[in-house]
Amino acid sequence: MSTPSKRACDACHRRKVRCNSRQPCGNCSQAGLSCTYDAIPQKKGPKGSRAKVISELREVQKKSSDIRRTQNGSSGYQSPPGSPTYAPTPGLLTPDLIDACTRFFFTSMYPTMPILDREQVQSMVESMGHCIEAYGLIAALCAFMLIQPGIASHLQSSMEEAPESITNPKMGAALMEEVGRVRKGYDYIENPTVPTIITSFFLFGSCFGLNKHNAAWFHLREATALAQILGMQDENMYLFGSHVVNARNRRLFWLLFVTERAYALQKHRPLTLHATINLPTIDQDSPTSITGFIHLVNLYRPFDDTFIGLWNKSRADCSTFWLAQLQQQLTEALPPHLDTTESQAADLRTSQQWLRTMVWQLSITNGFLSSRSPDSSMTFHFPIEIAQDLVGVTTKLSKQSMEVHGIGLIEKVFDVACTLIDVMACVPSPPTNRPGPKDHLQQLFTLISTLRGGDSRYLPLILTKIRDTLPAIADQFPTAPIHRAAPGTMVGGSAFGPLGGINGLSGTNGFNGVSGAVMNGLNATAWQREGCIKQEPT
C-alpha cells in the first residue's frame, strides 16, 4: 500500500482522528469509507460528533457515486429498497380480481391449505398500499388461484363481466413476476415473517402449476428454510402468543411438511422438515376441514428420511417386512367413511392410492415381489388392485371436487395409470367376468381427459405410452382428446385491470415432471435384467 503524503486523508481530517496516511488508511477501511487525499489543507475547526460526521461522509460519497453511475449510464445500478423500481404496479390487482381469487381460495382451497383466515386476508388487502409484504402475499395468492384449473367456473359466476375463459396461466405468471420484483424492496430473507413464508409457498404452487419445476423446487425450499429460521419446527414456539395465530402457524408447518414429501416423491428430492411438533388441534369453527387436514398429514408421516433415502437410492437398508408393513399402514390410514368436505375426500383418496403405488414401485425396485406372496401388496398384480380402488372412489366424486386440486391430483392419477399400463404389458391377467385391468385403464383415461388441465398436458403422454406399451389395444383409446375452451384462451374485461387482455396458453408442452412408472421405465425386460422378478421353484 502506498502513502501519498504525510498528512491525514480527507475523511480522517474531517473526522478529526489520527490517520496512518496509507491508501486506504486504517480508519477508512474500518468505517467503510472511500479514502482520498484531494482536499486542500485548511485550518482546524471546532470538533463535532464523529458518528454524525461518518454518516454525513457516507451520504455524500453515496450521492457522488450515484451521480457518477447515472452520468456513465451504468446498467448495473439498482434503485434502493422502497424506490419506485420496487413499488407495486398501480391498478394491477383490481378489487374484483382480489375478491374473486380470495373467495375461491376460501371456498375450494382452504380445506387443504388452512393457513389463512378471512380477517387476516382482509387486513392485508387494506394495508397493501403501504406494506410491500402484504401486497406480495395477496399478489402471490391471486397468481396461485388464477393458475388453478378449477377457478374458471367459479369466476364465471362471480365476476360482473364474465370473460370467455378465465383460467389463464399467463395472468398468473405476470403476477408472479410482480411478486418477485416487489420482494426486492425489503430483506425478507434476513428478516422473515409468516406472510413471507406463505408468499413463497404460493409461488411454489404457481410454478408447479406452470410446469416450472426448477423454480418450484427453489420456492418450496425457500419456504421451508424461512420456516426453520423462524423456529416453526420447535414446539416451544407455539407456547406463547395468540392461540389462533399459533394454530394457524402450526397448520402452515404441517402443510409444508406434506408438500415437501409429495414433491420429494414426485421429483426425487431430499427432505428438510420432520415431525418435530404436535399435530394441529380440531378447530371449533371448522372441525370438518381440520379433521381432513390431519388425515392428510397422517398419510404422509410414514414417508420419512428412511423411505426418501431408499427412494432416492442414497441408502439400501430395505426389507420386505418393512415395505409390507408400510402398505398395511397406508391401507388403514383412512376410515371407510370420511367426515370431510368432498374436495378433501378427493385429495385424500387419490393420494392414498398414489402412495400405495409409490411403495409398490420401491418394492419392485428392490426385488421383493413374488407371484406367490400371501400379501397382495407384495405381488406383481397389486397395481391392478390399486387402479380398481382408485376408479371406485373417483366415480363417486364430482369433477369439481377433483379439479380444485389442479395439476397435482391429475399427476397422481396419471402415475397410477402408467404403472397399470406397465403391469398389463408384463403380467398376464386371468379372464374374468368382472371389470378387469383394461376397464380400469379406460376409466382412468377418461378421468384424465375430462379434468381441466389433464387433456392438454397428460393425455398426449398417456396415449403415447399406451401405443408404445400396449399396441394391441391402442386403437380402443381415442387419439383426440375431449375438447373444451383451452386453459387461458383469452381473459378479457376491465375487471382484470392491465392483465385483462393477455392471451393465455393453449396447451403446455414439454412436460418433464412424470414420476413413478414412466420415470422408472418399468417393463418386463428391465424387471428380468434387474432381477426384480423372483424365480419360483418348479
Side-chain angles (χ1 to χ4, degrees):
M1 290 182 287
S2 62
T3 55
S5 63
K6 293 297 182 180
R7 65 182 178 89
C9 70
D10 299 338
C12 289
H13 179 76
R14 177 71 176 85
R15 295 168 60 194
K16 309 303 181 190
V17 296
R18 184 180 297 275
C19 180
N20 60 14
S21 300
R22 295 183 179 276
Q23 179 63 38
C25 72
N27 293 329
C28 288
S29 296
Q30 186 176 5
L33 298 171
S34 298
C35 188
T36 61
Y37 293 83
D38 299 332
I40 300 175
Q42 297 178 2
K43 293 182 180 181
K44 297 181 179 179
K47 295 183 179 180
S49 172
R50 294 181 179 178
K52 182 179 180 181
V53 171
I54 292 177
S55 298
E56 291 174 354
L57 287 167
R58 285 176 176 160
E59 184 65 22
V60 170
Q61 291 180 1
K62 181 179 181 298
K63 289 181 178 178
S64 299
S65 176
D66 291 349
I67 292 172
R68 288 194 300 269
R69 289 180 180 178
T70 303
Q71 291 173 343
N72 296 334
S74 172
S75 60
Y77 173 73
Q78 292 184 336
S79 301
S83 74
T85 302
Y86 299 139
T89 303
L92 187 64
L93 288 176
T94 65
D96 281 346
L97 180 60
I98 295 173
D99 181 66
C101 289
T102 53
R103 281 196 288 120
F104 177 74
F105 173 81
F106 286 109
T107 301
S108 303
M109 307 294 288
Y110 177 82
T112 307
M113 304 175 182
I115 56 176
L116 294 170
D117 62 44
R118 295 180 187 274
E119 292 183 1
Q120 179 189 19
V121 171
Q122 182 59 38
S123 175
M124 289 188 175
V125 171
E126 293 173 355
S127 62
M128 286 194 312
H130 58 83
C131 179
I132 298 178
E133 183 181 75
Y135 179 85
L137 189 149
I138 298 301
L141 170 65
C142 290
F144 186 32
M145 295 302 100
L146 287 171
I147 291 169
Q148 301 306 307
I151 197 175
S153 58
H154 174 82
L155 291 186
Q156 285 172 342
S157 62
S158 62
M159 301 287 288
E160 294 182 0
E161 183 177 352
E164 298 177 3
S165 176
I166 303 293
T167 304
N168 193 299
K170 280 196 173 180
M171 280 187 66
L175 287 175
M176 289 166 59
E177 292 181 3
E178 172 80 352
V179 175
R181 183 180 60 80
V182 300
R183 287 185 105 186
K184 296 177 182 178
Y186 63 102
D187 193 354
Y188 69 92
I189 297 175
E190 188 63 30
N191 303 291
T193 62
V194 171
T196 61
I197 297 173
I198 297 175
T199 300
S200 295
F201 175 77
F202 286 152
L203 289 175
F204 156 77
S206 301
C207 293
F208 184 92
L210 293 175
N211 194 31
K212 297 181 177 180
H213 288 286
N214 288 337
W217 170 239
F218 173 85
H219 288 298
L220 177 58
R221 205 60 181 263
E222 181 180 61
T224 59
L226 294 175
Q228 289 176 309
I229 292 173
L230 283 183
M232 297 183 73
Q233 74 281 8
D234 185 355
E235 182 63 31
N236 293 326
M237 176 186 175
Y238 306 92
L239 299 179
F240 308 98
S242 167
H243 171 74
V244 174
V245 173
N246 285 336
R248 196 167 57 230
N249 292 345
R250 186 183 297 275
R251 295 195 294 268
L252 173 59
F253 173 86
W254 284 110
L255 176 62
L256 294 174
F257 176 94
V258 168
T259 304
E260 186 180 50
R261 273 148 181 76
Y263 202 70
L265 292 171
Q266 290 171 322
K267 309 302 175 191
H268 287 260
R269 303 297 191 184
L271 300 178
T272 60
L273 300 181
H274 302 90
T276 53
I277 65 171
N278 297 331
L279 288 173
T281 54
I282 303 299
D283 192 337
Q284 295 181 353
D285 296 330
S286 54
T288 300
S289 297
I290 305 305
T291 299
F293 183 73
I294 293 174
H295 279 314
L296 187 65
V297 172
N298 286 328
L299 264 181
Y300 282 90
R301 285 191 75 170
F303 294 86
D304 54 11
D305 280 329
T306 299
F307 187 93
I308 298 301
L310 293 166
W311 185 252
N312 293 338
K313 301 185 186 301
S314 61
R315 58 189 302 168
D317 52 334
C318 192
S319 69
T320 304
F321 175 77
W322 180 75
L323 289 169
Q325 205 173 35
L326 183 54
Q327 286 285 14
Q328 185 66 24
Q329 189 174 352
L330 285 173
T331 300
E332 299 173 351
L334 301 178
H337 173 71
L338 287 173
D339 186 18
T340 64
T341 65
E342 187 185 22
S343 65
Q344 281 183 312
D347 186 28
L348 289 168
R349 297 297 188 191
T350 304
S351 296
Q352 181 186 37
Q353 303 309 322
W354 177 70
L355 290 172
R356 295 170 79 194
T357 302
M358 298 298 101
V359 176
W360 181 87
Q361 288 186 15
L362 186 60
S363 299
I364 195 171
T365 300
N366 285 274
F368 293 146
L369 301 185
S370 169
S371 59
R372 296 185 179 182
S373 173
D375 186 345
S376 64
S377 69
M378 303 306 291
T379 66
F380 300 110
H381 292 85
F382 190 57
I384 300 176
E385 180 181 327
I386 293 175
Q388 180 180 352
D389 291 344
L390 181 58
V391 168
V393 298
T394 54
T395 53
K396 300 175 184 178
L397 297 167
S398 67
K399 187 173 70 171
Q400 183 180 5
S401 69
M402 291 182 278
E403 286 184 337
V404 297
H405 300 289
I407 295 300
L409 183 141
I410 302 173
E411 182 171 337
K412 292 173 182 176
V413 176
F414 175 78
D415 283 348
V416 173
C418 287
T419 306
L420 174 62
I421 293 171
D422 289 322
V423 170
M424 290 173 62
C426 304
V427 181
S429 298
T432 176
N433 294 328
R434 302 175 60 184
K438 188 175 70 172
D439 302 293
H440 306 329
L441 178 58
Q442 287 176 329
Q443 289 180 286
L444 293 176
F445 177 89
T446 301
L447 179 62
I448 292 172
S449 66
T450 54
L451 292 176
R452 293 179 185 271
D455 54 355
S456 61
R457 181 180 298 186
Y458 294 94
L459 201 58
L461 294 171
I462 198 170
L463 281 169
T464 300
K465 185 165 184 65
I466 292 173
R467 286 197 300 267
D468 294 343
T469 311
L470 301 171
I473 64 170
D475 59 347
Q476 300 179 31
F477 294 85
T479 56
I482 299 174
H483 289 287
R484 62 163 53 88
T489 301
M490 185 66 183
V491 175
S494 58
F496 283 91
L499 295 178
I502 296 179
N503 290 327
L505 301 178
S506 59
T508 306
N509 298 319
F511 176 69
N512 60 1
V514 183
S515 62
V518 177
M519 184 168 58
N520 293 334
L522 297 176
N523 55 58
T525 303
W527 291 5
Q528 292 285 4
R529 182 177 64 251
E530 297 176 8
C532 295
I533 296 182
K534 291 186 178 294
Q535 300 298 326
E536 305 295 343
T538 57

